[in-house]
């Protein structure tokens, strides 16, 4: 089964959860959001590299 994730959407969701949380839980959600943002950045970079190789 192929499940597609939208890292940007997941980052936004994690930040919303962070806003509702306190203390250590808030920090964990912030770290999760940062990880999703990094995945977004890597995905965009990878897509850009793939299209440059084709050209």
């Amino acid at each position: 089964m192929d499940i597609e994730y939208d890292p940007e959407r997941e980052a936004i969701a994690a930040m919303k959860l962070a806003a509702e949380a306190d203390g250590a839980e808030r920090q964990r959600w912030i770290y999760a959001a940062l990880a999703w943002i990094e995945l977004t950045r890597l995905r965009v970079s990878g897509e850009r590299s793939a299209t440059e190789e084709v050209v």
Side-chain angles (χ1 to χ4, degrees), residues 23-39:
E25 183 181 358
R26 174 177 281 181
Q27 193 63 46
R28 283 191 295 272
W29 282 118
I30 291 170
Y31 286 141
L34 289 171
W36 282 114
I37 290 168
E38 181 66 11
L39 288 172

Side-chain angles (χ1 to χ4, degrees), residues 8-25:
E8 189 172 357
R9 185 188 74 227
E10 297 293 337
I12 292 168
M15 286 306 293
K16 287 179 181 179
L17 289 168
E20 297 172 1
D22 291 322
E25 183 181 358

Side-chain angles (χ1 to χ4, degrees), residues 42-55:
L42 291 171
R43 175 187 252 181
V44 169
S45 177
E47 289 173 356
R48 192 175 311 133
S49 295
T51 57
E52 288 174 359
E53 291 175 6
V54 172
V55 175

